[in-house]
Amino acid sequence: SVAAQAKVSREQVRSNNKETLQSIIDNKNLSDAEKENAVNQMVQMTEIAEKEAAAEVLLQAKGFQEAVVSINGDAVDVVINAAELSDAQRAQIEDIVKRKTDIAAENIVISTIVQ
């Protein structure tokens, strides 16, 4: 499915980023400040991944199958497997995503896709 592919590619990007950051942390020639920066980025990446997963699990629990939540800075993209969504459903999705990601409703973009 499109949702599954999106999640796989997201995880691959994260995995590559973590490897890069890990190599910075392990590099004996870099300063403590550079290493600390890499550690902070890794922590941030983990926090974002946890928020995305929490929102996806709750959306699924509410009947939105194969939802993909992607946080980019202070914005969120949500892709829902549906032909269309009612205003009530959009409001529900927004509320869940807002609660789980701490990102304001005006920065949440909801798209539909039929698998």
Side-chain angles (χ1 to χ4, degrees), residues 59 64 82 84-95 110:
L59 286 167
F64 299 104
E84 55 185 354
L85 296 167
S86 67
D87 288 345
Q89 285 174 315
R90 283 185 177 276
Q92 188 183 23
I93 292 164
E94 227 168 61
D95 182 58
I110 301 167

Side-chain angles (χ1 to χ4, degrees), residues 50-103:
E50 283 171 0
K51 286 179 180 180
E52 288 172 345
E56 286 170 356
V57 167
L58 194 50
L59 286 167
Q60 259 183 331
K62 297 288 183 184
F64 299 104
Q65 295 306 312
E66 300 200 51
V68 181
V69 177
S70 303
I71 299 172
N72 306 305
D74 55 3
V76 187
D77 286 311
V78 185
V79 179
I80 302 291
N81 179 15
E84 55 185 354
L85 296 167
S86 67
D87 288 345
Q89 285 174 315
R90 283 185 177 276
Q92 188 183 23
I93 292 164
E94 227 168 61
D95 182 58
I96 289 169
V97 173
K98 196 169 58 177
R99 241 183 323 152
K100 291 293 174 190
T101 64
D102 298 323
I103 290 173

